[in-house]
C-alpha cells in the first residue's frame, strides 16, 4: 500500500478518547471581507482576552502535519464578533455582528488575533489605565470605541518569575480552580497537581481526600484499553502528593500503580492507550496491540514510573522500565520531536507537548542531562507550534511552560515572552481561562449564555493548566521545578538562540544561500530541515550539488545530514552513489536521511536498483534483540517505501532474484509494521508464481508473526502475504488465513476478517477440510469478547457473520480447484 495512503488512513483512524481527530474543515480561501455579509461557520471562534468577546477570525488550512506550526490566523485582518458576555467590559460597547478592524487607532496590518492580544496587553498596563481602543465597523459605519479593562500591569522580563502581573493572574486563576471538582480520574489528577503546586495549605484537606479517592479506586473506572491515561496521571498526582506531604497512607497505591505501569510497558519502552500485550512465550513486555503505541499517553506513564521510584518503590521491573523508556525516547535526541508512536521523529520543535514531556522525563530520570536540555530547548523554540497537535493542543498548553522550565529561568522567560500574547488572549475578564482548540472548535454555550467556546480539553481544566504555568516560580512540586538540577539549564544566549530557531521557517525566506547552508550547523534539527527545503527553491541550488555531495561525506555530522537532506530534495541522480554509500554509514540518522533522499528519486533510481537492493540486505539487522541506536530501523522503512511502492516497483520484477529476495526478506522481518506494510501491494500484485514458491517460508512467517513495533500497520504485510498464497491457490493459504483471522482481535478486525474469509471461500469445495477450524474460529472470536479483548455487539457480529458465510459458501461450492503446495516447508509446520 502506498505510504502516503497509509498515513492518511492512520490519521483518520485515530479516534480513541481522550482525543478525537476531527476532520472538520477550517477556512481555506482568501480572507473574506467580513463587512460584506460573508458566509462563515460561527462556531469556529476565538476568545478575545478579558474583553468578554469571542470572534470569528479567518484561518489558514489545517496543515499542522506539514509544518504550518499552527499559526492559523496569520492572514486575518478582521474579527467578526459572534458573542458578547453579559456584564463584561465589552457589554454595551460591542454587539454581535460588529467587525473589529484595528486597534490603537490603526487598522490591523498583521494577524488580527495576535494583534488584538497585543493591544489587550498594552491596555492592561498601568500607564494605559486599562483603555482598549478598537476600530469598530457596524452597519456600514466605522468608528473608534473604548473598552475599559482592569489594569493588570506589565509582564516582567523574567516572567513568570519575579513578576507582579503573573502573580495577580495566578491568584485569580486559583480562585477559579478551587471551585472545580476534584475527581479520581486523569484530568481530576491534573487539577490536584495544580492545587498542590500552589503550595497553599488550605487546599490540603481536599487534596488528601482526592489522594484517598484515587488510592481506593486506582484501577477502578478505568477502561482496559485506556488504562495508560488513567493510571499514569493518577500516579503522577499521588507521587507528587506523597513527596510534598509524606502521607504514608498513599504509598501502597503508589507502589501498585508504579509496578503495574512498569509491567505494562512494551519491549520498546512505549505504551498504547492501554498496556502492552504478553510476548508469544507468555512473558511481560510484548508489543502494544493494534491500535498501537501512543506516546502522548506513554510519556506521562513513564514519568510516573520514575516518580514512583523517587517515592521509594522497589521492584525488579522498575529500573529496566526506566532504562527502556530512556533509550527509546533518547533515540529522538537531535533528530526532531517525539512522534505519535513508534515512528520517525516529527519535523517540529514540539507537537502537543511531547517535547516538553520528554524534557521532564529525562530531567527526572537524571542520567541523561543532554537529552533533558535538548528537549527543553526544543520546547522553547516551539512557541509558534503550541496550537499544533493531534486531537487539538490541550496537552501543549498543559506541558509547554513546564517543559521550558526544565531549561531554567532564562529558558522559561524566553518561552513566556513569545507565548504571553496567547496566555492573555485565552484569559477571561473573571480570571478564568478558555480552551480554544484548533481542530476541536465548538460553541460550548453555558447555561446563562455568557460564554461560548470549549470549557475544557476532554475534561482537562484550562484553570488547572494556567495555575500550573503561573505556579512555576514557587517550585512546590517536581513538575514545577522542585529540587531541579541546574545542569539542564540554558544560558541566556542559548535561550535566545532557541527563539531565533523557532522563527527560522519565516526568516529563511530572506536569507542568502550561504546563510542557509550555514544553518546546517544549527542546534535544531528542524532548522536544518527547513534550510534544506528552502535551498532547493533558489536558482543557484543545482550549482551547489558538487559541494553538497562532498559535505554529505564530510566531518561535521549536522552538515552531513543537512547536505544529504538537500540532495534528496533536489532529486538529483548525480548523488546516488554518495547516497548508497551513506546507507551503511556509522551515523544511523545519516543513513535515514540518505534512505529518504533515495526514496525521493523515484524512477531515477532504476539504474541503481542492484546496488540499493544489496545495501538493504547488507544493513538489515534482526529486530531481537532491539538495536537501541535505531530501534525500528527507520532507514529500511524509507527504502521499503521507495522500492516497493510507486513507480520503481514495476522495475523490480526484472531484477536478479538473488538481489531482490534478500531485500524482501530484510523488509519483511523489519521490526516496524509501517516498513513491512510497504510490501503489501508488491506481494499482492507483483509477485509471480516462481517468486511465491521461492519466498514461501518468508511469506508464511510474515503472516504468522506480527511486527513487534508500530503494530497499527502490522496487518498490511500479513494481508499481502496471505493474498499472495491464495492468488496461486496454495493450500497453505487456507491455514494461514485462519491463523491470521484468529489474531484479528483488535482495531479494524471486523473488516479484515471479512476480507480474509472471502479469500478462503474462493477455494470452494477444496477448503472443506478447513470447516472444523472455521467453526473453532467462531468460538474464538466470541471468546475474545468474553475476555474483554474485543467489544461485543455489531462489530463482533460482523466478524462472526463473515466466518459463517464462508462456511456456507464452502459447503455449497461446486468448484474444486487444484491446489498447489509449498515445496520448501521450512517454518510452515506447527504454526504459532
Amino acid at each position: 500500500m502506498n505510504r502516503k495512503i497509509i498515513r492518511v488512513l492512520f490519521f483518520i483512524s485515530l479516534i480513541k478518547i481522550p482525543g478525537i481527530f476531527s476532520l472538520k474543515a477550517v477556512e481555506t480561501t482568501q480572507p473574506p471581507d467580513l463587512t460584506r455579509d460573508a458566509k462563515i461557520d460561527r462556531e469556529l471562534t476565538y476568545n478575545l482576552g478579558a474583553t468578554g468577546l469571542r470572534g470569528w477570525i479567518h484561518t489558514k488550512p489545517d496543515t499542522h502535519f506539514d509544518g504550518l506550526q499552527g499559526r492559523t490566523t496569520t492572514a486575518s485582518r478582521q474579527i467578526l464578533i459572534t458573542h458578547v458576555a453579559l456584564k463584561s467590559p465589552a457589554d454595551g460597547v460591542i454587539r454581535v455582528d460588529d467587525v473589529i478592524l484595528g486597534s490603537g487607532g490603526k487598522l490591523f496590518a498583521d494577524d488580527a488575533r495576535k494583534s488584538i492580544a497585543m493591544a489587550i496587553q498594552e491596555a492592561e498596563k498601568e500607564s494605559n489605565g486599562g483603555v482598549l481602543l478598537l476600530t469598530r465597523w457596524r452597519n456600514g459605519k466605522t468608528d473608534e470605541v473604548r473598552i475599559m479593562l482592569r489594569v493588570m500591569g506589565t509582564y516582567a522580563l523574567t516572567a513568570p518569575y519575579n513578576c507582579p502581573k503573573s502573580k495577580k493572574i495566578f491568584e485569580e486563576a486559583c480562585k477559579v480552580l478551587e471551585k472545580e471538582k476534584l475527581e479520581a480520574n486523569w484530568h481530576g489528577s491534573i487539577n490536584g497537581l495544580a492545587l498542590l503546586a500552589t503550595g497553599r495549605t488550605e487546599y490540603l484537606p481536599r487534596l488528601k481526600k482526592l489522594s484517598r479517592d484515587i488510592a481506593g479506586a486506582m484501577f477502578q473506572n478505568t477502561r482496559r484499553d485506556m488504562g495508560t491515561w488513567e493510571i499514569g496521571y493518577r500516579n503522577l498526582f499521588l507521587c507528587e502528593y506523597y513527596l510534598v506531604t509524606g502521607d504514608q497512607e498513599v504509598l501502597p497505591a503508589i507502589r501498585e500503580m508504579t509496578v503495574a505501569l512498569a509491567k505494562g510497558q512494551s519491549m520498546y519502552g512505549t505504551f498504547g492507550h492501554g498496556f502492552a500485550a504478553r510476548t508469544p512465550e507468555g512473558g511481560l513486555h510484548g508489543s502494544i496491540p493494534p491500535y498501537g503505541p501512543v506516546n502522548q499517553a506513554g510519556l506521562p506513564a513513564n514519568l510516573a514510573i520514575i516518580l514512583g521510584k523517587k517515592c521509594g518503590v522497589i521492584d525488579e521491573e522498575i529500573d529496566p522500565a526506566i532504562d527502556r523508556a530512556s533509550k527509546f525516547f533518547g533515540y529522538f535526541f537531535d533528530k526532531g520531536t517525539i512522534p505519535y508512536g513508534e515512528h520517525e521523529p516529527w519535523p517540529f520543535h514540539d507537537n502537543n507537548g511531547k517535547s516538553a514531556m520528554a524534557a521532564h522525563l529525562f530531567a527526572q530520570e537524571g542520567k541523561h542531562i543532554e537529552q533533558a536540555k535538548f528537549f527543553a530547548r526544543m520546547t522553547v523554540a516551539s512557541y509558534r507550534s503550541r496550537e499544533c497537535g493531534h486531537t487539538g493542543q490541550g496537552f501543549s498548553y498543559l506541558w509547554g511552560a513546564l517543559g521550558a522550565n526544565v531549561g531554567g529561568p532564562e529558558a522559561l522567560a524566553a518561552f513566556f515572552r513569545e507565548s504571553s500574547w496567547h496566555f492573555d488572549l485565552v484569559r477571561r475578564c473573571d480570571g478564568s481561562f478558555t480552551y480554544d482548540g484548533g481542530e476541536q472548535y465548538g460553541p460550548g454555550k453555558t447555561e446563562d449564555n455568557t460564554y461560548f467556546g470549549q470549557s475544557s480539553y476532554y475534561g482537562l481544566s484550562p484553570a488547572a493548566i494556567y495555575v500550573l504555568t503561573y505556579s512555576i516560580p514557587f517550585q512546590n512540586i517536581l513538575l514545577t521545578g522542585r529540587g531541579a538540577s541546574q545542569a539542564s539549564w540554558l544560558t541566556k544566549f542559548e535561550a535566545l538562540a532557541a527563539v531565533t530557531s523557532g522563527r527560522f521557517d519565516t526568516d529563511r525566506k530572506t536569507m542568502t544561500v550561504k546563510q542557509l547552508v550555514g544553518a546546517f550547523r544549527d542546534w535544531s534539527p528542524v532548522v536544518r530541515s527547513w534550510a534544506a527545503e528552502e535551498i532547493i527553491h533558489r536558482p543557484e541550488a543545482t550549482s551547489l550539488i558538487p559541494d553538497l555531495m562532498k559535505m554529505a561525506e564530510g566531518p561535521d555530522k549536522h552538515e552531513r545530514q543537512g547536505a544529504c537532506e538537500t540532495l534528496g530534495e533536489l532529486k538529483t541522480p548525480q548523488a546516488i552513489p554518495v547516497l548508497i554509500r551513506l546507507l551503511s554509514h556509522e551515523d544511523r540518522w545519516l543513513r535515514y536521511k540518505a534512505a529518504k533522499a533515495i526514496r525521493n528519486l523515484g524512477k531515477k533510481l532504476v539504474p541503481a536498483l542492484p546496488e540499493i537492493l544489496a545495501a538493504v540486505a547488507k544493513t538489515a539487522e534482526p529486530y531481537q534483540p532491539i538495536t537501541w541506536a535505531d530501534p525500528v530501523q527507520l532507514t529500511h522503512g524509507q527504502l521499503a517505501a521507495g522500492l516497493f511502492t510507486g513507480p520503481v516497483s514495476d522495475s523490480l520484477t526484472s531484477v536478479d532474484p538473488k538481489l531482490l529476495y534478500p531485500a524482501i526478506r530484510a523488509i519483511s522481518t523489519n521490526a516496524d509494521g509501517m516498513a513491512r506494510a510497504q510490501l503489501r501491494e508488491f506481494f499482492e500484485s507483483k509477485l509471480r508464481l516462481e517468486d511465491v514458491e521461492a519466498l514461501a517460508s518468508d511469506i508464511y512467517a510474515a503472516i504468522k508473526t506480527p511486527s513487534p513495533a508500530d503494530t497499527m500497520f502490522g496487518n498490511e504485510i500479513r494481508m499481502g502475504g496471505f493474498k499472495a498464497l491464495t492468488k496461486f491457490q496454495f493450500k497453505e493459504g487456507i491455514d494461514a488465513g485462519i491463523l491470521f483471522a484468529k489474531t484479528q482481535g483488535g482495531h479494524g478486525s471486523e473488516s479484515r476478517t471479512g476480507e480474509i474469509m472471502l479469500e478462503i471461500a474462493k477455494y470452494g469445495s477444496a477448503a472443506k477440510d478447513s470447516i472444523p477450524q472455521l467453526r473453532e474460529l467462531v468460538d474464538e472470536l466470541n471468546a475474545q469478547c468474553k475476555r474483554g479483548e474485543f467489544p461485543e455487539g455489531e462489530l463482533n457480529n460482523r466478524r462472526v457473520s463473515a466466518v459463517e458465510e464462508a462456511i456456507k459458501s464452502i459447503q455449497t461450492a461446486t468448484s474444486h480447484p487444484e491446489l498447489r503446495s509449498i515445496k520448501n516447508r521450512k517454518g510452515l509446520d506447527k504454526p504459532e
Side-chain angles (χ1 to χ4, degrees):
M1 182 180 290
N2 181 279
R3 191 177 182 94
K4 185 174 182 180
I5 293 173
I6 290 174
R7 287 196 174 280
V8 171
L9 293 175
F10 167 50
F11 290 121
I12 290 175
S13 68
L14 301 182
I15 57 174
K16 289 204 174 187
I17 297 171
I20 300 175
F21 182 62
S22 169
L23 296 181
K24 177 180 278 189
V26 293
E27 298 297 314
T28 59
T29 58
Q30 290 298 312
D33 184 349
L34 299 176
T35 67
R36 296 181 178 272
D37 193 29
K39 294 181 179 179
I40 60 169
D41 183 348
R42 288 176 180 249
E43 289 190 358
L44 308 183
T45 63
Y46 291 95
N47 189 67
L48 303 178
T51 62
L53 300 172
R54 287 191 72 84
W56 185 92
I57 306 175
H58 172 75
T59 56
K60 283 186 176 180
D62 178 13
T63 56
H64 67 281
F65 292 121
D66 298 318
L68 184 61
Q69 295 202 89
R71 297 190 317 282
T72 57
T73 57
T74 51
S76 63
R77 299 295 182 268
Q78 301 173 340
I79 303 172
L80 174 68
I81 301 303
T82 55
H83 309 290
V84 183
L86 298 174
K87 299 181 181 179
S88 68
D91 190 19
V93 180
I94 303 293
R95 299 177 189 167
V96 172
D97 290 332
D98 286 353
V99 180
I100 306 303
L101 302 176
S103 62
K106 297 180 181 179
L107 298 179
F108 292 134
D110 201 349
D111 184 332
R113 183 168 65 118
K114 188 171 183 179
S115 295
I116 198 170
M118 301 300 288
I120 290 168
Q121 280 193 350
E122 284 295 312
E124 289 182 338
K125 292 180 178 179
E126 295 92 337
S127 58
N128 292 320
V131 177
L132 175 64
L133 184 64
L134 296 177
T135 303
R136 178 193 67 187
W137 177 92
R138 178 186 291 171
N139 297 328
K141 182 180 178 181
T142 301
D143 54 10
E144 304 294 325
V145 297
R146 289 188 174 192
I147 295 176
M148 296 302 300
L149 305 177
R150 286 187 302 136
V151 172
M152 299 297 291
T154 305
Y155 284 120
L157 292 177
T158 55
Y161 287 99
N162 303 315
C163 176
K165 178 176 178 178
S166 298
K167 183 69 161 52
K168 190 172 184 178
I169 292 170
F170 166 76
E171 295 287 345
E172 294 187 357
C174 286
K175 293 177 182 178
V176 175
L177 181 61
E178 66 189 22
K179 297 176 183 177
E180 296 183 0
K181 292 180 180 179
L182 285 179
E183 299 176 279
N185 52 31
W186 73 272
H187 47 81
S189 298
I190 294 170
N191 278 29
L193 284 167
L195 290 175
L196 192 64
T198 68
R200 297 186 171 182
T201 57
E202 61 264 36
Y203 296 149
L204 288 178
R206 293 185 67 201
L207 293 171
K208 182 177 181 179
K209 181 180 184 304
L210 177 62
S211 72
R212 295 328 189 248
D213 291 344
I214 290 175
M218 52 187 162
F219 300 120
Q220 296 176 16
N221 303 317
T222 299
R223 284 172 45 190
R224 179 188 179 96
D225 60 342
M226 298 301 290
T228 304
W229 294 95
E230 291 291 351
I231 298 172
Y233 276 104
R234 291 180 194 186
N235 203 41
L236 279 180
F237 167 73
L238 282 189
C239 290
E240 291 275 27
Y241 170 79
Y242 170 76
L243 292 170
V244 168
T245 66
D247 186 344
Q248 297 286 318
E249 194 169 327
V250 300
L251 270 179
I254 290 174
R255 172 176 169 74
E256 284 198 50
M257 287 197 285
T258 302
V259 173
L261 287 167
K263 289 182 175 179
Q265 188 194 62
S266 83
M267 67 181 80
Y268 290 99
T270 53
F271 288 86
H273 288 300
F275 290 175
R278 293 274 180 168
T279 66
E281 298 76 28
L284 298 172
H285 315 302
S287 301
I288 301 298
Y291 186 85
V294 184
N295 292 330
Q296 192 76 64
L299 279 162
N302 277 305
L303 182 57
I305 297 172
I306 295 171
L307 265 58
K309 181 178 179 179
K310 289 179 181 287
C311 292
V313 176
I314 299 174
D315 189 272
E316 64 181 6
E317 291 289 343
I318 301 297
D319 285 342
I322 293 172
D323 185 58
R324 281 189 293 268
S326 298
K327 286 176 176 176
F328 178 80
F329 292 107
Y331 172 79
F332 301 98
F333 170 73
D334 201 30
K335 297 180 179 69
T337 195
I338 306 298
Y340 184 90
E342 291 159 354
H343 312 118
E344 65 263 28
W346 280 12
F348 306 98
H349 286 113
D350 202 356
N351 184 264
N352 209 5
K354 291 195 285 294
S355 281
M357 293 177 187
H360 263 289
L361 181 83
F362 289 108
Q364 299 304 330
E365 180 250 13
K367 296 180 182 178
H368 297 86
I369 298 303
E370 285 304 309
Q371 283 83 346
K373 187 173 182 178
F374 170 76
F375 285 110
R377 207 171 184 181
M378 290 281 282
T379 306
V380 174
S382 73
Y383 58 89
R384 286 181 165 182
S385 309
R386 303 322 301 172
E387 297 178 286
C388 175
H390 173 63
T391 79
Q393 54 265 11
F395 292 113
S396 173
Y397 300 156
L398 172 65
W399 287 95
L402 300 174
N405 191 54
V406 170
E410 292 288 355
L412 179 58
F415 175 83
F416 196 94
R417 281 193 296 274
E418 299 298 329
S419 306
S420 65
W421 70 271
H422 188 269
F423 297 161
D424 283 338
L425 198 70
V426 297
R427 175 170 50 85
R428 299 170 66 210
C429 55
D430 63 356
S432 66
F433 291 83
T434 181
Y435 169 72
D436 289 337
E439 296 121 318
Q440 279 74 44
Y441 291 93
K445 185 169 63 174
T446 57
E447 292 180 1
D448 60 1
N449 292 329
T450 59
Y451 169 63
F452 290 73
Q454 285 184 282
S455 58
S456 71
Y457 176 69
Y458 302 104
L460 174 56
S461 163
I465 289 172
Y466 295 103
V467 166
L468 278 167
T469 296
Y470 286 97
S471 69
I472 288 174
F474 312 128
Q475 298 184 345
N476 288 314
I477 63 175
L478 296 178
L479 291 183
T480 57
R482 181 185 182 189
S485 167
Q486 296 187 19
S488 61
W489 285 13
L490 307 186
T491 65
K492 187 171 185 176
F493 173 80
E494 287 172 327
L496 294 176
V499 170
T500 300
S501 297
R503 62 168 182 263
F504 186 89
D505 66 327
T506 49
D507 290 351
R508 59 179 167 162
K509 303 297 182 183
T510 60
M511 290 182 174
T512 65
V513 169
K514 183 177 180 180
Q515 289 173 318
L516 291 170
V517 172
F520 290 164
R521 292 196 175 193
D522 195 274
W523 71 272
S524 166
V526 183
V527 165
R528 300 195 292 268
S529 291
W530 281 338
E533 290 174 2
E534 184 64 28
I535 287 172
I536 67 168
H537 298 297
R538 302 303 178 87
E540 60 268 51
T542 55
S543 65
L544 292 175
I545 290 174
D547 290 335
L548 290 170
M549 290 169 61
K550 291 178 183 177
M551 193 181 295
E553 295 185 285
D556 185 279
K557 72 172 185 176
H558 289 160
E559 284 189 342
R560 287 197 303 262
Q561 293 165 10
C564 185
E565 192 163 353
T566 308
L567 290 170
E569 295 285 349
L570 288 169
K571 301 178 182 178
T572 173
Q574 185 180 346
I576 289 177
V578 171
L579 297 174
I580 292 175
R581 287 198 295 271
L582 295 180
L583 290 177
S584 56
H585 197 282
E586 63 180 9
D587 179 347
R588 288 173 179 268
W589 189 233
L590 182 60
R591 292 187 195 181
Y592 171 84
K593 295 291 185 183
K596 192 171 183 180
I598 286 171
R599 175 186 172 186
N600 286 345
L601 285 163
K603 280 282 236 184
K604 298 174 185 177
L605 293 176
V606 172
L609 280 178
E611 292 86 354
I612 297 171
L613 290 168
V616 172
K618 176 184 175 183
T619 57
E621 299 176 38
Y623 60 77
Q624 294 285 6
I626 297 167
T627 304
W628 288 108
D630 189 3
V632 290
Q633 294 196 65
L634 293 174
T635 296
H636 286 78
Q638 292 294 321
L639 291 172
L643 291 170
F644 294 101
T645 64
V648 175
S649 63
D650 290 334
S651 301
L652 290 175
T653 55
S654 59
V655 172
D656 186 346
K658 292 181 180 179
L659 293 170
L660 177 62
Y661 294 169
I664 288 176
R665 292 186 181 105
I667 300 301
S668 71
T669 56
N670 188 286
D672 182 12
M674 176 74 84
R676 293 188 188 189
Q678 310 308 314
L679 288 172
R680 175 174 175 172
E681 184 179 348
F682 192 82
F683 275 8
E684 287 187 27
S685 61
K686 302 289 172 57
L687 289 183
R688 300 158 298 191
L689 175 59
E690 58 266 33
D691 299 325
V692 176
E693 288 178 328
L695 293 166
S697 60
D698 304 288
I699 293 171
Y700 198 95
I703 302 168
K704 182 175 66 172
T705 308
S707 62
D710 202 3
T711 54
M712 172 172 274
F713 305 102
N715 284 306
E716 296 300 320
I717 188 174
R718 301 180 75 194
M719 185 66 79
F722 167 61
K723 289 188 175 181
L725 295 180
T726 62
K727 178 180 179 181
F728 297 106
Q729 295 190 313
F730 284 90
K731 68 177 183 179
E732 291 83 0
I734 300 172
D735 288 340
I738 294 172
L739 172 66
F740 185 18
K742 281 183 178 179
T743 61
Q744 289 304 294
H747 191 66
S749 67
E750 65 279 0
S751 58
R752 279 191 296 273
T753 302
E755 193 172 357
I756 294 167
M757 291 302 112
L758 287 174
E759 290 295 312
I760 291 176
K762 291 178 182 178
Y763 283 82
S765 61
K768 278 188 177 180
D769 290 345
S770 69
I771 290 177
Q773 291 176 272
L774 291 170
R775 287 180 175 145
E776 289 176 7
L777 175 59
V778 170
D779 294 338
E780 169 61 20
L781 298 180
N782 289 324
Q784 288 174 3
C785 297
K786 292 179 181 179
R787 294 194 299 264
E789 297 169 5
F790 194 81
E792 295 189 68
E794 178 57 30
L795 294 183
N796 189 52
N797 292 341
R798 286 170 58 186
R799 299 194 306 171
V800 170
S801 295
V803 181
E804 291 174 340
E805 287 298 320
I807 293 172
K808 290 179 184 177
S809 178
I810 294 167
Q811 287 175 329
T812 59
T814 56
S815 63
H816 191 97
E818 183 177 348
L819 302 186
R820 294 183 172 89
S821 181
I822 296 171
K823 296 175 183 178
N824 176 13
R825 295 188 55 84
K826 182 181 178 181
L828 274 64
D829 294 323
K830 297 182 181 179
E832 297 175 4

